[in-house]
Amino acid sequence: MNIDIITVVPELLDSPFNHSIMKRAKDKGLLSMHTHNLRKWAINKHMQVDDYQFGGGAGMVMMPEPLANAIDELQKDKKYDEIIFMTPDGELFNQKAANQLSLKENILIICGHYKGIDDRIRQKYVTKEISIGDYVLSGGELAAAVVVDAIGRLLPGVLNDETSALFDSFQDNLLAPPVYTRPADFRGDKVPDVLLQGDPKKVEEWRHEQSIQRTKERRPDMFEED
Ligand code: ADE
């Protein structure tokens, strides 16, 4: 899978993808990522990419021209399955959306800043608008990093144990069960017996029950979803 990201702060995206699982995904050639500094398509020598909003009001808006030129140029090389704009008024991101996006070949992500981007770009180019939660970040970069991480770990071959993403919280509309490692007795707190007895069927049943119980307690709303 290939992901291109348009941003005015490429530095913000350096670290998240250069460690741990995302780094492995890139090193194995399963995920390629390119960040593009929007200022490359600035309209003047002052590197301008934003301007005051028509109608007045505080805050700058990202201009259509640099964004359109950036997208047009990138589209010459690749046909994008989705052009995503990160925005707090987008569709709320969840595991189902991550699963769906992980099946795409080419994705372009636009990170907004300031008051957002000129609406004509949203109408003409953007195919999907994503919010990672009901709060406002200072830009779309951290939100894009969240989305790319959630997608990247689902790509076949990225996780060591191919099956482990299947048992993540949310994958079957349930939260994940509790997990334990050594020692079996930590300061008097013991690991549940069933996990030590070596009966895989019983372990599976116990995990499923725990998942249901956790979901009932913590996220009863998940039982109401489709
Ligand atoms: N940009 C600013 N806030 C955001 C959010 N909550 N989700 C996605 N992009 C954003």
Side-chain angles (χ1 to χ4, degrees):
M1 168 184 253
N2 173 72
I3 301 180
D4 288 282
I5 305 183
I6 298 176
T7 167
V8 282
V9 200
E11 299 79 8
L12 272 177
L13 292 163
D14 283 348
S15 181
F17 307 116
N18 283 321
H19 305 280
S20 181
I21 289 169
M22 288 304 110
K23 181 173 187 310
R24 195 161 73 215
K26 289 202 306 184
D27 290 349
K28 282 183 166 180
L30 301 167
L31 175 66
S32 75
M33 292 203 33
H34 306 276
T35 50
H36 305 275
N37 191 336
L38 183 64
R39 293 194 197 279
K40 184 176 158 200
W41 293 275
I43 59 155
N44 55 30
K45 66 177 186 330
H46 306 293
M47 295 298 191
Q48 188 181 354
V49 293
D50 61 336
D51 211 336
Y52 296 101
Q53 50 178 316
F54 281 124
M60 307 292 270
V61 174
M62 286 165 71
M63 305 170 83
E65 197 178 341
L67 279 167
N69 287 338
I71 299 167
D72 287 346
E73 191 174 323
L74 295 173
Q75 271 183 327
K76 278 188 197 142
D77 284 343
K78 282 174 207 126
K79 165 129 189 42
Y80 293 103
D81 303 305
E82 298 283 2
I83 299 183
I84 299 171
F85 175 48
M86 302 308 305
T87 175
D89 62 4
E91 214 175 296
L92 218 45
F93 190 61
N94 59 19
Q95 191 62 47
K96 194 168 152 206
N99 292 348
Q100 282 167 356
L101 287 173
S102 73
L103 302 173
K104 310 283 182 189
E105 264 310 302
N106 277 300
I107 293 178
L108 174 61
I109 302 181
I110 302 167
C111 302
H113 256 265
Y114 322 112
K115 270 280 162 205
I117 65 175
D118 188 287
D119 215 69
R120 288 166 289 188
I121 295 294
R122 294 172 77 159
Q123 286 167 27
K124 176 146 191 240
Y125 291 97
V126 171
T127 60
K128 199 181 245 320
E129 303 191 324
I130 297 181
S131 163
I132 62 158
D134 290 342
Y135 40 80
V136 179
L137 301 166
S138 52
E141 286 76 13
L142 298 180
V146 166
V147 167
V148 172
D149 186 292
I151 298 171
R153 62 192 292 287
L154 295 173
L155 301 177
V158 170
L159 295 183
N160 276 337
D161 177 355
E162 274 256 18
T163 59
S164 66
L166 297 176
F167 298 111
D168 286 342
S169 281
F170 308 108
Q171 277 301 8
D172 49 8
N173 258 352
L174 291 175
L175 298 179
V179 292
Y180 298 88
T181 185
R182 286 186 291 183
D185 181 334
F186 175 63
R187 300 180 183 172
D189 283 337
K190 300 203 173 61
V191 169
D193 278 342
V194 62
L195 299 178
L196 308 173
Q197 284 159 357
D199 181 340
K201 198 160 171 284
K202 285 215 169 107
V203 168
E204 201 185 313
E205 276 166 18
W206 179 85
R207 285 185 173 149
H208 190 60
E209 280 160 24
Q210 292 287 317
S211 280
I212 292 173
Q213 198 178 315
R214 275 210 161 175
T215 312
K216 271 188 193 152
E217 281 165 15
R218 298 175 185 208
R219 292 292 305 276
D221 58 294
M222 285 171 63
F223 290 109
E224 285 143 33
E225 284 172 16
D226 56 288

